[in-house]
Amino acid sequence: MIESWVIADDGTAPVAAGTVREALRERIGRGRLETWLVGSSGRSLVVLTNTERALVMLLADEGDPGEHAVDPEARGASAGFVSANGQYDAYPNADTVPLGEALSIVEHIVRDGTWPPAHTGSLIADR
């Protein structure tokens, strides 16, 4: 069975892999920089962005520290990551990926249920 994903605060309709990028871009355009997607298997996928870079985390279940996509060649840090609760954070660029890449990763996870092959060697398990 293929896992379905729902944007947590946008109702109960599943989001399709072919439309998830646009859904996230619309949310970002409205200033909603944090998005949680919940999978039918109980997994969660979070995207937190500053509109240029994004933190992408996949959690197996509640309480799982998860794993996140990284950009090991990136240097410096970026600010402007605003959580839904108003918390303002900065992250090392190595712990985030460019927004376009983040959207591709999310699309792949929603479609195939796994990290894209190009990223399986570039994940940090926060376990």
Side-chain angles (χ1 to χ4, degrees):
M1 180 177 143
I2 296 190
E3 184 172 21
S4 61
W5 293 87
V6 173
I7 296 177
D9 59 353
D10 275 357
T12 58
V15 63
T19 61
V20 72
R21 283 181 196 233
E22 185 58 33
L24 291 173
R25 284 196 186 280
E26 285 178 16
R27 290 175 60 84
I28 294 164
R30 294 191 319 262
R32 299 180 83 180
L33 304 181
E34 179 181 5
T35 299
W36 284 81
L37 292 96
V38 179
S40 57
S41 71
R43 297 191 302 165
S44 296
L45 178 60
V46 64
V47 178
L48 177 61
T49 184
N50 66 356
T51 73
E52 293 178 16
R53 297 189 69 82
L55 175 68
V56 180
M57 288 187 64
L58 182 62
L59 304 116
D61 53 39
E62 191 174 324
D64 177 30
E67 52 191 15
H68 69 274
V70 297
D71 185 354
E73 303 300 317
R75 301 289 175 247
S78 294
F81 295 87
V82 182
S83 300
N85 67 3
Q87 181 174 323
Y88 183 92
D89 287 317
Y91 293 102
N93 287 336
D95 284 333
T96 64
V97 295
L99 181 59
E101 188 174 341
L103 298 176
S104 293
I105 291 169
V106 171
E107 179 180 11
H108 189 278
I109 292 171
V110 169
R111 183 183 59 245
D112 297 333
T114 61
W115 291 98
H119 286 276
T120 56
S122 298
L123 298 174
I124 298 294
D126 295 324
R127 300 179 199 268

